[in-house]
Amino acid sequence: MAGALAGCGGGGGGGSAATGTPTAPQTGTFSAQPLPSAIASSASAAISSVQASASAAASSASARASEFEASVSAQSARRSAEAEKALKGVKGRGNAVSEVGMTGLPTAQTGGVLAVMLTITNKTDRKASYAVQVDFEDPHGKVVETRYTGAENLEPGKKEQPIVFSRRPAEPKLTPRLVKAQRY
């Protein structure tokens, strides 16, 4: 800092020398008055504008999320209806049970709802679609809910992992069972 102060001296050689000790400002001359109303008003308007922008952004994000949820729900309903239709005439367990695996998802990750993830793997050498039926049974083995899902136009060797949710309450505990799986 001393080097910077020395460089600030007068240019004619006869100027006064700067001292190396800074002095505190004279706080007695500071105004304790609030900001002028024009500045305060401008600041208030800026805050309101930012809040309005944030609210609009949140509203827009919420609308996009609702649209996405509706789209996913519509796709899921269509897939379920298509799978149920494809399984109508299937006798026995179907021709693709060995191509479908089922894994339960922790209720901590699903908001307390019973859910299973299916892994549908096309083990053939050509594109195929799949229809799957999952039953949820109570502790006595009685089927209390049936859900359908599937995968469409799955390439050879590829897999898809749809999730099937039970709409039943968490109690009594239900057990999901893979009932049918048909490749078509």
Side-chain angles (χ1 to χ4, degrees), residues 49-145:
S49 176
V50 167
Q51 288 173 334
S53 293
S55 178
S59 179
S60 177
S62 177
R64 285 192 308 273
S66 292
E67 289 169 6
F68 176 74
E69 181 180 10
S71 171
V72 168
S73 182
Q75 180 183 4
S76 178
R78 184 193 58 74
R79 181 181 283 186
S80 177
E82 183 70 28
E84 184 175 7
K85 180 180 166 186
L87 289 170
K88 280 283 190 223
V90 173
K91 303 244 189 274
R93 297 196 63 200
N95 63 8
V97 172
S98 66
E99 297 175 55
V100 179
M102 190 167 67
T103 305
L105 298 175
T107 54
Q109 294 177 352
T110 63
V113 175
L114 178 60
V116 292
M117 180 173 57
L118 301 173
T119 301
I120 303 170
T121 305
N122 183 351
K123 296 179 181 178
T124 71
D125 60 354
R126 66 181 83 166
K127 190 184 289 189
S129 293
Y130 293 81
V132 180
Q133 176 183 336
V134 174
D135 285 348
F136 291 92
E137 299 175 354
D138 69 12
H140 306 289
K142 178 183 175 199
V143 175
V144 296
E145 183 177 24

